Amino acid sequence: MNWSGLENLLSGVNKYSTAFGRIWLSMVFVFRVLVFVVAAQRVWSDDSKDFVCNTRQPGCTNICYDHIFPISHIRLWALQLIFVTCPSLMVMAHVKYREGKDAKYVALHHGSHLYANPGKKRGGLWWTYLLSLVFKAGFDASFLYILYRIYHGYELPRLSKCSLEPCPNTVDCFISRPTEKKIFMLFMVTSSAMCIFMCLCEMIYLIGKRISKLVKVRHENERILFAEQHELTNMAPPRSQYRKNDPTLTDSQLSLNKRERVNGGTITTTL
Amino acid sequence: MSWPTLYAQLAGANRHSTSLGKVWLSVLFIFRVMVLVVAAESVWGDEQSDFTCNTLQPGCENVCYDQFFPVSHIRLWCLQLVFVSTPALLVAMYVAYRNHGDKKRLLNKGQEEELDTLRKRRLPISGALWWTYACSLLFRLLFEGGFMYALYVIYDGFQMPRLVKCDQWPCPNLVDCFISRPTEKTIFTVFMATSSSICMVLNMAELAYLIAKAVTRSRNSHSKSRKERMQNKTNQKLLVSP
């Protein structure tokens, strides 16, 4: 299984991810793929050879092994890793599509660009990225659930009893290396759970950032609108027109009661 | 995805480490990863198939093997190497974050030609990078020590016995079980434990060096004026040294 090919494909995704996304990708490749390749695969390598049942009946061991292990953990994890890393390719495809569109636009409109930066998460790309996060978390969670259902909780007992045809009666069957397998199962389950948690954090971060930007823009627009309306309204005429002037006051003393402000040619007076 | 890729990731972070850190990385990859891949795998390859018990009772061998080898040495060492390499990625992430911030600042100022030198420069280990680096060293020490201790506790020392006695069900009575290649396994266990201790010593020396450097730097800066310090800091940020 050539994981390095997948890794090459995905290293390009790093450019378009958030910081959380990059950490997620490193976690997946170091703690899950690397541990899977160098350690976990060896533990399960002699799975079927060293599965022993206390019987000499031919075929009984095979049938019991098949019943206890419908799908080996290793194969499930390989599928899980492939499914979980693929949604990132959606994002890359969208960016490539945008770049293609931009190139066509440049050719037609002689130099001006459609997208200032095709990799910036705006508009459709934001939704694609969010969707890829949802898929990643969804695939991880469903594989964890499938593993839970097939193996009745994350258990790997030393001894299983089996009484299927052609076994003559209830036969004791012994799994090879159950403790080591359990340790690696817990390790892979924990790292999957952490990856799901990181995906959720990233989703919250993306949505939160978008909401705060929208709120800021709306607040800004409201402020501009209010300022414009404020300037255009005609203020009430100065109170001195309705109030009788004290004839003993000089001109300078009169003007002390007013505060005059010149604003773009129009004189507005506030008291 | 395997050891060469991990090496590529770590070599990138290596640029920003001290010389002791570079020595540590070489020791790690030559004496531990390579030995693990080339030699230890073949020694431990037939560990279960050649684990023989003096009984014909089916299942007895499986159960006795599981009792005496809850986790194989090879797997413990693989996990140890993966965990020990991970803190260096912390430093790499911090450097990437710093470069990203500086790149934005440079772009705002309009100095695009300095972007290339930014990527190739070597950050001085001070301030937040010092703390990140020191934390990564601490974590490395913790992981190394933890895994060595786990190996010692699980296997009661670093020696592999030739014979173990087992009376787990379904073994009918106390059964003699023989481990395959015990002497060779002992030699490799001792070798890996020794190289692990050397790496721990290197990490401790590096930590001591970093602390000493920080102390001398703070002592020097107390004698300098505050204005000089601020000027130095600005110069460090503006000057880009390859």
Side-chain angles (χ1 to χ4, degrees), chain A residues 3-4 7 23 29 33-34 37 42-43 46 50 52 54 158-159 172 174-175 177-180 183-184 187, chain B residues 1-3 5 41 47-48 57-59 62-63 65-66 70-72 75 82-83 86 93 168-170:
Chain A
W3 292 102
S4 51
E7 208 216 332
I23 298 175
F29 274 103
V33 178
L34 182 63
V37 168
R42 308 289 160 84
V43 178
D46 56 5
D50 279 327
V52 168
N54 188 1
R158 264 185 190 177
L159 159 73
D172 293 330
F174 301 90
I175 300 170
R177 312 183 210 244
T179 314
E180 204 167 357
I183 290 175
F184 274 95
F187 184 86
Chain B
M1 173 72 201
S2 67
W3 302 113
T5 333
E41 297 267 355
E47 60 177 327
Q48 186 170 19
Q57 171 67 43
N62 284 26
V63 167
Y65 178 83
D66 189 59
V71 184
S72 168
R75 255 69 72 183
V82 168
F83 273 88
T86 320
M93 274 195 268
Q168 285 273 311
W169 187 87

Side-chain angles (χ1 to χ4, degrees), chain A residues 103-192:
Chain A
K104 279 199 201 136
Y105 189 86
V106 164
L108 278 174
H109 295 252
H110 311 294
S112 63
H113 282 269
L114 180 61
Y115 295 109
N117 180 4
K120 200 100 172 95
K121 288 188 277 292
R122 295 248 163 80
L125 188 62
W126 188 88
W127 286 104
T128 310
Y129 194 78
L130 191 68
L131 209 65
S132 80
L133 287 176
V134 169
F135 277 134
K136 275 190 224 174
F139 284 140
D140 249 334
S142 8
F143 272 96
L144 278 184
Y145 179 68
I146 290 172
L147 190 70
Y148 186 85
R149 284 301 297 263
I150 293 180
Y151 291 102
H152 310 294
Y154 303 116
E155 275 296 314
L156 213 55
R158 264 185 190 177
L159 159 73
S160 332
K161 292 191 187 285
C162 168
S163 55
L164 299 163
E165 287 283 321
C167 304
N169 44 43
T170 305
V171 169
D172 293 330
C173 291
F174 301 90
I175 300 170
S176 83
R177 312 183 210 244
T179 314
E180 204 167 357
K181 287 181 178 166
K182 190 151 177 205
I183 290 175
F184 274 95
M185 175 143 66
L186 287 173
F187 184 86
M188 296 297 268
V189 165
T190 314
S191 41
S192 306

Side-chain angles (χ1 to χ4, degrees), chain A residues 42-61:
Chain A
R42 308 289 160 84
V43 178
W44 268 265
S45 61
D46 56 5
D47 206 15
S48 130
K49 272 187 279 123
D50 279 327
F51 180 79
V52 168
C53 287
N54 188 1
T55 180
R56 291 178 73 161
Q57 172 66 45
C60 178
T61 311

Side-chain angles (χ1 to χ4, degrees), chain B:
Chain B
M1 173 72 201
S2 67
W3 302 113
T5 333
L6 188 69
Y7 180 73
Q9 298 241 13
L10 289 179
N14 210 19
R15 258 189 307 140
H16 303 275
S17 46
T18 62
S19 18
L20 277 171
K22 294 180 175 123
V23 172
W24 173 85
L25 190 73
S26 321
V27 167
L28 186 81
F29 271 90
I30 295 174
F31 289 104
R32 294 172 75 182
V33 176
M34 234 174 92
V35 167
L36 184 77
V37 168
V38 170
E41 297 267 355
S42 33
V43 173
W44 266 267
D46 55 5
E47 60 177 327
Q48 186 170 19
S49 42
D50 279 340
F51 181 79
T52 327
C53 287
N54 188 4
T55 181
L56 283 176
Q57 171 67 43
C60 178
E61 272 179 14
N62 284 26
V63 167
C64 289
Y65 178 83
D66 189 59
Q67 185 189 25
F68 285 101
F69 296 95
V71 184
S72 168
H73 291 73
I74 295 277
R75 255 69 72 183
L76 261 181
W77 289 327
C78 280
L79 282 177
Q80 181 176 9
L81 288 169
V82 168
F83 273 88
V84 152
S85 318
T86 320
L89 297 176
L90 254 180
V91 176
M93 274 195 268
Y94 173 77
V95 169
Y97 164 75
R98 264 279 281 275
N99 278 348
H100 182 73
D102 288 347
K103 195 162 80 166
K104 263 202 174 133
R105 239 176 337 119
L106 278 181
L107 279 172
N108 283 342
K109 278 201 234 159
Q111 293 165 305
E112 275 100 4
E113 61 274 6
E114 296 211 11
L115 279 179
D116 215 23
T117 36
L118 189 105
R119 219 164 282 141
K120 293 204 196 87
R121 75 173 168 180
R122 191 174 174 270
L123 289 166
I125 303 180
S126 58
L129 182 60
W130 187 94
W131 284 104
T132 314
Y133 199 77
C135 272
S136 80
L137 283 175
L138 262 169
F139 275 122
R140 267 188 230 168
L141 276 169
L142 271 168
F143 287 140
E144 292 264 26
F147 274 95
M148 283 249 281
Y149 179 69
L151 189 74
Y152 189 85
V153 161
I154 293 176
Y155 291 102
D156 256 330
F158 297 123
Q159 191 173 19
M160 190 72 81
R162 274 184 183 168
L163 160 73
V164 291
K165 291 188 189 287
C166 166
D167 64 350
Q168 285 273 311
W169 187 87
C171 304
N173 44 44
L174 195 68
V175 170
D176 291 333
C177 292
F178 300 91
I179 297 168
S180 79
R181 311 180 209 242
T183 314
E184 207 169 355
K185 287 182 180 166
T186 309
I187 292 174
F188 273 100
T189 310
V190 168
F191 182 87
M192 294 295 271
T194 315
S195 39
S196 181
S197 330
I198 294 176
C199 284
M200 277 178 79
V201 165
L202 279 171
N203 282 331
M204 283 195 278
E206 202 176 353
L207 195 62
Y209 168 72
L210 273 184
I211 293 173
K213 209 164 129 180
V215 163
T216 47
R217 206 188 9 225
S218 75
R219 207 174 290 160
N220 282 346
S221 66
H222 273 312
S223 51
K224 275 195 201 159
S225 69
R226 188 183 150 80
K227 199 175 164 193
E228 266 189 52
R229 256 184 290 145
M230 294 299 288
Q231 186 58 43
N232 273 348
K233 248 189 167 170
T234 330
N235 284 346
Q236 269 183 344
K237 282 196 175 131
L238 290 176
L239 281 173
V240 191
S241 55

